[in-house]
Amino acid sequence: MAASNNSAAKQVWDEINAEAEASQDVVGGTWLASDTAARACGSDGARWVVNRFGPGTSAADRDRLLDDLATRWEAKGWTADRSATTGDYPGVQLRYPGASTLETGFFVRFRTNENGSSLQIQTPCTPGDVDQLNREKYAEKHTNTPPDIPGVSDPSATATP
């Protein structure tokens, strides 16, 4: 696969990563990146799923944060649906498109409750050589450093009992 194809895939990842980080800034706090390796899609495409995990939101702040995030996304053409999430820790989510994915495979979803938040964005399928992108560990080289957690950010570190 030609290098130009990887350039397109890298550009898409860079743009989505930048948007993920800007969306995290709307919420604030410390976030952990847990993005996937490049995945094959279409006949010769690549995509990533950008996963970020961050702080919870209080009921008092939640509507304002969701409004701010929805406004940010709407400026990009992503008119998100807001809905309640259920389960042991109910909360709220924003999702574009409201269900499923676009034809390209793209979607963005933010979920939050009092205990934590998650942001997930699947990049659109873009021409690229998945094997080469993963050999380069492209996405791993371009994310924020995770918080200093012994045994996670520094595999040689050990926790004291």
Side-chain angles (χ1 to χ4, degrees), residues 63-102:
D63 282 339
R64 178 187 54 78
L65 289 171
L66 289 169
D67 289 346
D68 290 350
L69 194 54
T71 298
R72 176 173 182 76
W73 291 358
E74 195 164 307
K76 298 184 79 53
W78 307 344
T79 303
D81 290 343
R82 187 182 301 203
S83 60
T85 58
T86 58
D88 291 339
Y89 300 101
V92 181
Q93 80 170 354
L94 287 177
R95 191 174 199 299
Y96 172 77
S100 192
T101 65
L102 298 180

Side-chain angles (χ1 to χ4, degrees), residues 2-56:
S4 63
N5 286 341
N6 281 346
S7 295
K10 289 175 180 181
Q11 180 179 351
V12 167
W13 191 91
D14 289 342
E15 290 170 1
I16 293 300
N17 180 61
E19 182 53 40
E21 290 175 355
S23 294
Q24 291 166 218
D25 289 344
V26 169
V27 178
T30 302
W31 289 76
L32 177 64
S34 182
D35 306 335
T36 67
R39 298 175 175 181
C41 58
S43 60
D44 65 349
R47 76 164 43 113
W48 288 270
V49 179
V50 174
N51 293 297
R52 308 294 165 87
F53 302 97

Side-chain angles (χ1 to χ4, degrees), residues 6-7 9-11 13-14 48 132-143:
N6 281 346
S7 295
K10 289 175 180 181
Q11 180 179 351
W13 191 91
D14 289 342
W48 288 270
Q132 180 60 39
L133 292 164
N134 286 333
R135 276 192 299 276
E136 291 179 35
K137 297 184 179 186
Y138 187 76
E140 291 178 39
K141 293 179 183 176
H142 296 85
T143 56

Side-chain angles (χ1 to χ4, degrees), residues 148-159:
D148 187 19
I149 302 170
V152 176
S153 59
D154 179 3
S156 65
T158 57

